[in-house]
Structures are given as C-alpha cells and as structure tokens.
Amino acid sequence: MAITSMTGDGRIPSVDVGVAGPELTVIVPTLNEEGNIAEVVDRLRHVLSGILWEVIFVDDDSRDRTRDVIRQIGATDHRIRLLHRIGRRGLSSACIEGIQASTAPYIAVMDADLQHDESILPQMLAAAKNDGQDLVIGSRYISGGGIDKDWDEGRAKASMLATRLGQFILKMNVADPMSGFFLMRRAAFDGAVRQLSAMGFKILVDVLASTKTPLKVREVPYTFRPRHAGESKLDSQVAWEYLMLLADKTIGQYLPVRFVLFSVVGLIGLAAHLTVLAISLHLGVKFVVAQGIATLIAMVGNFSLNNWFTYSDRRLRGWGYVKGLLSFSAVCGIGAVANLGIANFLFGTEQSSWWFAGIAGAAMSSVWNYAVSSVVTWKKK
Ligand SMILES: Nc1nc2c(ncn2[C@@H]2O[C@H](COP(=O)(O)OP(=O)(O)OP(=O)(O)O)[C@@H](O)[C@H]2O)c(=O)[nH]1
Ligand SMILES: [Mg+2]
C-alpha cells in the first residue's frame, strides 16, 4: 500500500508502508506431513477468518512432498510461510525458530496432523487478547477435554505418567503441561527464550519451566483427535528426550545433563573394563592381551551407550557410526595420555597423595573427552 501526499514543491513522494502484519502466527512443525498440509490450511482459513493471521510451517527437511505442497499453496496466499531447516532435527527447536521468525504479538503452536482442534484458536486468542492471559493451553485433561478414543491403555497411562512428572518438576497447577497445542503472547515467550533447553518434543514444559516471571495461564478444553494422514513420529527416543529435558530443567543450571550422562557411561565403562580384565586373567590370558581386549570392549561400549543415550538427538548410524567410533577412540586416546601426564606430574609433587593424583588425572581426561567428543564426534550439524 502506498501513501501519497503533495510536498511544497509539487512533487508527490511515495512512501511504501506495506500492509498490516499478522496479529497471530500459527507455528506448525512438520516432518513428512504432505497429506495434511492442504487440510490444515483450509481449516485455518475457515476458523481464523476476520483475524489477521499467518502460518509458518517449520520443516526439518522432510523427504516427502511437504515443502512442495506448502510452496504451492503459498504462491497464491502470502499468509502461508515456510522455514526449511537442514541438518537440524527436533520439534521444540523447530517451534522456537518458527516463533523467532514471526513478528506477530500472539503466537500459537499446533501439530500438522490435525489432532489438535483448530476450532478453539479464536477462543484461545480472545483469552490472551481480551482477558489478559499470557499463555492459553489447549488441554486434554480438564473437564470438557479428552484423548483420542483409539489410544490404547498403555499410551494413555504413559501420557498420564509423563504429565505427572512434568507437573512435579514444574510445581505448577497445569492439567496438561505436555500439550503441544497452545497460544501465547510474544512477551511471555521472550521472557523464557534465553533459558529454553530446546530439547525433544515438549516445548510447552520447556517454556513453563524457563519463564522468569509468573505467567497468567488458562486452559481451554479440546478433544485430541486421531491423526489425519501420515505416520506418527512418536518413539522411545521422544520419551528419553523428555526425561533429559526434565533433568536439564532441574539440574541443568549447575551441570550440563549430557556431562552427567557422559560421566555415568564412563563409570559403566570402567566397571566393564575391570570385569573383562578380571575374567580374561582368570582364564589365563596374558595381561597385555587381556588389557587390550578390555580396553576395546570398554571403548566400543562407551561409544555405543553415549551414541544411544547421551547424544540420542544426534545419533550416528551406518557409516557415521564407524567414523564416530574411530574419532571417539582417538579423542579418548589423547585424553588418556593427558590423564597420565597430569597424574604423573601431581604424583611427583610432594604435597599430592596417589589418590589425589589419580582422581585429578581422571577428572581432567573426562572433561577433555566430553568437551572434544561433543564437537568432533557428535558435532551439531
Ligand atoms: N520440524 C519438525 N517437526 C517434527 C519433528 N518431529 C515431529 N514433528 C512434527 O511434530 C508434530 C507432532 O508429531 P507427531 O508424530 O504427530 O507426534 P504426536 O502427536 O505426539 O504422536 P501421535 O499421536 O502418534 O501422532 C507433527 O506435526 C510432526 O510432523 C521434528 O523433528 N522436526
Ligand atoms: Mg500427532
């Protein structure tokens, strides 16, 4: 839109002020959701008519036609936006980047598979805009809400247990902190963004645990529907990453959770090493051979456990697994040399006892192994 007015000398300057930006941005994370995009857009158009809105699909390099469909619809509707991330994964971090790419004062987060009931979005926006709520949660666990009737008992119980755990950590009276469907003021997000862990699937728990000022929170009931099209991405890794998120929210300010896990794996490796060594010696294997076998087993075991648990979100597979094992062994080899050097130096000084020298050497090499392998072996892409 161009605003024009005559200047003193008769020229007509033109100032391009564009059109009003959106009041509400709906963030939709996507991973192989080609069959759901058109339906999501249709439903948003319908329920949000009369509201200045846009949707940002944050796609983590889907291998199906998700991005093609989004671009096709976006070609005739500027409210449809796409953020394509390459080499990064994770529902939470995708939502965070989407929110940061928006200028709207209100932001909603919603799944792409239509399990969240978009028809309550206007009610959620009104609660924030007119009733001063900072955060409005689409809730399955308050009166009027519900879960997909096709959920088996196991899934319902797991969801309830995870919810209770979340409530315990948050020390907050929120019925559905695990909800992936919520709307908030930008200020509420800005108050939490620097403390966010951005791990795994549960962005709402992260926001609630990270906020510095108490938020005015309201829950609006809805019934979680069955998935519209495509496949679920929920697996055991999601559950593990949720536990890591809760741990990070509890002890993360004192010690990185990954370092704690790395150290626990190191202790397991030490126990495995000593066990294999003892068994080999008992079977009459020469010490140097037994020590070699124990070292190899401990190294492969440590690498695999760290790859599975400590870096579940950057897990190496196939050829990457082999290269990772080699680089991890090299890093730990250098760590062992540093360990020997430091321990030997301290042992040589008069004040140090043998145990102090031993612990100091081991501690130094653990920090080295952790720090260097996190950037060399499990580097963030
Ligand atoms: N950008 C991005 N989106 C993701 C990622 N993982 C899942 N999603 C999206 O997040 C939303 C929730 O994932 P779902 O697989 O539906 O998980 P869920 O709803 O907890 O599980 P179901 O009830 O089994 O569907 C969907 O829109 C997915 O496409 C990811 O790593 N990156
Ligand atoms: Mg789903």
Side-chain angles (χ1 to χ4, degrees):
M1 183 196 295
I3 294 179
T4 56
S5 68
M6 196 85 90
T7 61
D9 60 5
R11 281 184 303 115
I12 302 176
S14 155
V15 184
D16 190 350
V17 293
V19 289
E23 179 172 40
L24 171 69
T25 300
V26 183
I27 308 294
V28 180
T30 58
L31 194 61
N32 304 324
E33 300 285 2
E34 63 179 3
N36 292 317
I37 305 298
E39 186 64 27
V40 167
V41 172
D42 272 356
R43 294 197 192 188
L44 289 178
R45 281 177 176 148
H46 178 68
V47 297
L48 296 178
S49 70
I51 294 169
L52 279 175
W53 65 276
E54 66 174 0
V55 54
I56 303 182
F57 291 98
V58 188
D59 184 64
D60 280 355
D61 216 14
S62 291
R63 273 169 305 179
D64 65 359
R65 293 189 61 256
T66 301
R67 286 185 304 286
D68 294 338
V69 180
I70 297 167
R71 287 196 183 109
Q72 220 169 7
I73 304 175
T76 56
D77 188 341
H78 70 276
R79 297 172 301 183
I80 315 306
R81 295 177 54 196
L82 167 66
L83 189 58
H84 176 192
R85 305 199 307 166
I86 298 175
R88 274 168 295 169
R89 261 295 166 84
L91 198 159
S92 281
S93 68
C95 293
I96 293 165
E97 284 189 37
I99 295 169
Q100 286 172 321
S102 136
T103 57
Y106 299 97
I107 303 123
V109 172
M110 193 177 100
D111 286 356
D113 55 7
L114 297 154
Q115 289 183 301
H116 297 152
D117 183 353
E118 69 293 327
S119 71
I120 64 168
L121 277 170
Q123 191 188 340
M124 292 163 86
L125 180 63
K129 227 176 117 178
N130 309 331
D131 288 350
Q133 302 298 320
D134 298 307
L135 176 64
V136 188
I137 302 171
S139 180
R140 298 162 294 182
Y141 298 132
I142 56 170
S143 154
I147 53 173
D148 175 3
K149 57 182 179 342
D150 290 341
W151 270 17
D152 59 38
E153 203 184 324
R155 173 138 192 210
K157 277 196 179 146
S159 173
M160 218 42 212
L161 178 68
T163 301
R164 296 249 187 282
L165 264 177
Q167 287 164 332
F168 177 72
I169 299 288
L170 292 170
K171 297 182 183 64
M172 223 182 251
N173 199 12
V174 174
D176 196 358
M178 307 275 292
S179 176
F181 186 31
F182 57 93
L183 182 148
M184 66 187 155
R185 285 172 187 277
R186 165 140 331 256
F189 174 75
D190 286 347
V193 66
R194 287 172 200 281
Q195 284 72 243
L196 291 174
S197 307
M199 288 174 169
F201 246 51
K202 299 299 167 190
I203 169 86
L204 179 59
V205 172
D206 204 355
V207 169
L208 286 168
S210 301
T211 184
K212 287 218 164 125
T213 46
L215 298 177
K216 284 181 81 177
V217 181
R218 178 176 297 170
E219 294 184 72
V220 175
Y222 82 98
T223 300
F224 193 78
R225 300 182 292 218
R227 184 173 248 281
H228 179 71
E231 281 169 23
S232 169
K233 282 92 208 170
L234 201 64
D235 56 14
S236 56
Q237 187 173 337
V238 170
W240 175 249
E241 284 175 3
Y242 179 58
L243 293 179
M244 280 188 65
L245 170 68
L246 294 185
D248 193 54
K249 289 293 163 242
T250 332
I251 57 156
Q253 50 188 320
Y254 311 110
L255 260 184
V257 172
R258 284 196 212 273
F259 181 64
V260 175
L261 285 172
F262 196 86
S263 306
V264 171
V265 168
L267 288 176
I268 294 172
L270 181 65
H273 184 117
L274 294 178
T275 310
V276 174
L277 187 60
I279 293 172
S280 307
L281 290 176
H282 185 73
L283 295 175
V285 180
K286 261 172 65 181
F287 180 80
V288 67
V289 178
Q291 175 73 350
I293 296 170
T295 305
L296 197 70
I297 289 177
M299 192 72 88
V300 175
N302 270 22
F303 172 75
S304 304
L305 285 176
N306 278 319
N307 193 44
W308 198 260
F309 293 106
T310 317
Y311 291 99
S312 61
D313 55 335
R314 304 183 204 167
R315 199 173 288 161
L316 301 165
R317 293 168 210 269
W319 185 230
Y321 181 91
V322 178
K323 284 201 291 194
L325 177 59
L326 293 177
S327 74
F328 180 75
S329 307
V331 168
C332 294
I334 298 171
V337 173
N339 176 350
L340 281 179
I342 287 160
N344 200 29
F345 167 75
L346 288 175
F347 188 60
T349 61
E350 279 180 19
Q351 301 91 327
S352 284
S353 48
W354 63 268
W355 56 266
F356 178 74
I359 291 177
M364 276 301 293
S365 67
S366 322
V367 172
W368 159 273
N369 291 348
Y370 168 69
V372 180
S373 68
S374 75
V375 286
V376 174
T377 308
W378 291 283
K379 58 179 171 284
K380 249 185 166 168
K381 283 180 209 148

